[in-house]
Amino acid sequence: MSREQILNTLRSSLASRRTWLEHEAGRAPHTPPAYVLPPADDLATQFAEELGKLEGRVYLVSDDEDALEQIGTLLDERNATQINTWDLDAIGLPGLGELLQQRGITLLQGNIQGDERKPRLQNLEPAPVCISGADLAIAESGTLLLRHGAGRP
């Protein structure tokens, strides 16, 4: 079934059930369940705190320039000469390609499929740094959403 057929089926189903869906939505309680944290005034700080509870590290930066500086620091700390990364265009950080090129960093191909998968994955193991983007960050739980796709293995 094509994408358009799927979307048309969903649209048709929603249209035919709209009254029932609105009724059901009106019956649902509108108070958040006990496990839902109230949003903090500063969502970036809330995200950092929640990810920290999961032993993740967050480096809050104010702009692209600060992000590049932080990446450079992390590369230096790990003596990185090669990294695993998405296609740089998929990350969307202006200047990242130039930073990596200036430092002589080798970009490893992370999109590995087929019979050679296992040995090629083992070749990625020594890379001390992986750089990707993120599509969504959920402050309440310290969760990142990364969609797989072209240039985003």
Side-chain angles (χ1 to χ4, degrees), residues 3 7 11 37-38 40 47 55 64 66 72 95 106 112 124 128-129 132:
R3 179 180 187 273
L7 290 174
R11 287 182 192 112
L37 300 174
F47 173 81
E55 299 188 29
D64 291 348
D66 284 349
T106 301
I112 300 172
L124 297 178
V129 174
S132 72

Side-chain angles (χ1 to χ4, degrees), residues 29-46:
H30 292 338
T31 55
Y35 58 85
V36 175
L37 300 174
D41 290 333
D42 181 353
L43 294 177
T45 300
Q46 183 179 10

Side-chain angles (χ1 to χ4, degrees), residues 55-123:
E55 299 188 29
R57 293 187 196 143
V58 177
Y59 304 93
L60 295 174
V61 296
S62 58
D63 57 26
D64 291 348
E65 194 172 299
D66 284 349
L68 291 172
E69 187 175 318
Q70 183 62 58
I71 290 170
T73 299
L74 293 170
L75 292 170
D76 290 344
E77 288 173 356
R78 287 154 182 82
N79 296 315
T81 58
Q82 56 184 3
I83 64 169
N84 199 355
T85 184
W86 283 1
D87 289 349
L88 299 182
D89 290 338
I91 295 171
L93 178 59
L96 179 58
E98 291 80 12
L99 171 73
L100 299 174
Q101 187 176 32
Q102 289 168 357
R103 291 170 178 265
I105 303 290
T106 301
L107 306 182
L108 300 175
Q109 176 56 267
N111 190 13
I112 300 172
Q113 300 174 5
D115 296 337
E116 298 297 315
R117 183 171 170 76
K118 186 174 180 179
R120 288 186 61 199
L121 282 173
Q122 289 173 342
N123 289 337

Side-chain angles (χ1 to χ4, degrees), residues 119-149:
R120 288 186 61 199
L121 282 173
Q122 289 173 342
N123 289 337
L124 297 178
E125 178 101 16
V129 174
C130 179
I131 299 176
S132 72
D135 296 294
L136 181 72
I138 302 173
E140 178 182 87
S141 60
T143 301
L144 290 174
L145 173 75
L146 288 72
R147 290 181 299 160
H148 178 274

Side-chain angles (χ1 to χ4, degrees), residues 5-21:
Q5 289 172 316
I6 292 169
L7 290 174
N8 284 335
T9 300
L10 288 171
R11 287 182 192 112
S12 176
S13 178
L14 287 172
S16 68
R17 292 177 175 83
R18 178 170 298 281
T19 303
W20 178 81
L21 289 169

